[in-house]
């Protein structure tokens, strides 16, 4: 009798194909932030590089999580500014795919004007102090007063309407011994308030 033995060898073909990037989008674009998203056809980590010059993408965010959906929130951007960006994804075999360099421009306006900072009431007569933020569309400041609770929206007649350069107000009509709740609203040229 003849005995024949055979040995098989399996060969592993290395993965040399980078992920395919699709659906690259900029969403939730505001004056100071943006979200960049894309998908890949295989699990991959991702990174986004961005900057003010297409040849110098000097800021970036990265994630080593292997996923199909990729998203990065860019914050602290300057308003009315063009940013250039490039997305990239790397699969588990270290194959890298990059998008072309694209651009977006942040909005000129905030959805609402910025609030005043460091609002304080001082002892003695009621004197309110605050710090204004620089915002070119700011139109006026409105001060409201209530004896029952803080006012959440500027409805009715304000106690005072002030110019955008004002940083303090003295309430000369306050009655001694009464608790008051003051709210300072910033109002832009379209009537939006904070």
């Amino acid at each position: 009798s003849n005995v024949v033995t055979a040995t098989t060898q399996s060969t592993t073909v290395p993965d040399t194909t980078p992920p395919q990037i699709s659906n690259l989008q900029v969403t939730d674009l505001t004056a100071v932030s943006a979200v960049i998203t894309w998908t890949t056809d295989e699990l991959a980590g991702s990174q986004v590089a961005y900057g003010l010059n297409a040849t110098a993408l000097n800021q970036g965010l990265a994630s080593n999580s292997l996923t199909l959906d990729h998203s990065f929130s860019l914050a602290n951007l300057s308003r009315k500014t063009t940013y250039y960006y490039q997305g990239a994804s790397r699969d588990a075999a270290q194959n890298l795919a990059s998008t072309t360099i694209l651009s977006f421009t942040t909005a000129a306006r905030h959805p609402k004007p910025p609030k005043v900072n460091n609002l304080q009431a001082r002892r003695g007569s009621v004197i309110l102090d605050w710090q204004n933020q620089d915002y070119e569309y700011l139109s006026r400041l409105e001060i409201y007063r209530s004896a029952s609770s803080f006012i959440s929206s500027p409805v009715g007649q304000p106690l005072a309407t002030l110019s955008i350069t004002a940083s303090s107000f003295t309430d000369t009509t306050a009655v001694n011994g009464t608790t008051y709740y003051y709210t300072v609203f910033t109002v832009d040229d379209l009537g939006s308030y904070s």
Side-chain angles (χ1 to χ4, degrees):
S1 99
N2 293 332
V3 177
V4 176
T5 58
T7 308
T8 59
Q9 258 185 351
S10 64
T11 56
T12 304
V13 177
D15 176 4
T16 59
T17 305
Q20 293 293 314
I21 296 173
S22 59
N23 301 319
L24 179 65
Q25 299 179 50
V26 176
T27 62
D28 300 325
L29 184 61
T30 72
V32 294
S33 64
V35 176
I36 298 176
T37 63
W38 67 88
T39 58
T40 50
D41 66 339
E42 63 176 310
L43 296 175
S46 53
Q47 64 187 40
V48 65
Y50 65 99
L52 299 176
N53 186 320
T55 60
L57 304 177
N58 57 2
Q59 299 178 68
L61 299 169
S63 171
N64 292 325
S65 298
L66 298 178
T67 183
L68 298 174
D69 297 311
H70 311 274
S71 178
F72 292 99
S73 296
L74 310 184
N76 301 315
L77 304 176
S78 298
R79 62 189 186 86
K80 296 193 303 187
T81 303
T82 298
Y83 285 88
Y84 297 88
Y85 69 97
Q86 182 177 40
S89 287
R90 185 183 305 271
D91 65 15
Q94 302 303 304
N95 299 306
L96 179 66
S98 298
T99 68
T100 58
I101 295 174
L102 300 170
S103 67
F104 64 86
T105 301
T106 54
R109 305 176 67 100
H110 294 286
K112 292 183 173 186
K115 296 178 181 183
V116 298
N117 291 328
N118 302 322
L119 179 62
Q120 315 175 30
R122 290 191 262 157
R123 289 182 175 242
S125 59
V126 179
I127 301 172
L128 304 174
D129 292 324
W130 60 86
Q131 293 176 347
N132 290 314
Q133 295 189 46
D134 184 31
Y135 184 63
E136 70 182 284
Y137 299 107
L138 196 60
S139 172
R140 66 188 179 276
L141 303 171
E142 292 182 355
I143 298 176
Y144 287 79
R145 178 184 77 184
S146 169
S148 60
S149 64
F150 287 107
I151 296 172
S152 61
S153 61
V155 176
Q157 186 66 31
L159 176 65
T161 300
L162 305 174
S163 76
I164 60 172
T165 59
S167 60
S168 68
F169 172 75
T170 302
D171 185 355
T172 58
T173 63
V175 175
N176 197 17
T178 304
T179 299
Y180 292 105
Y181 300 87
Y182 292 89
T183 307
V184 178
F185 290 100
T186 56
V187 183
D188 70 13
D189 59 343
L190 298 177
S192 297
Y193 64 87
S194 285

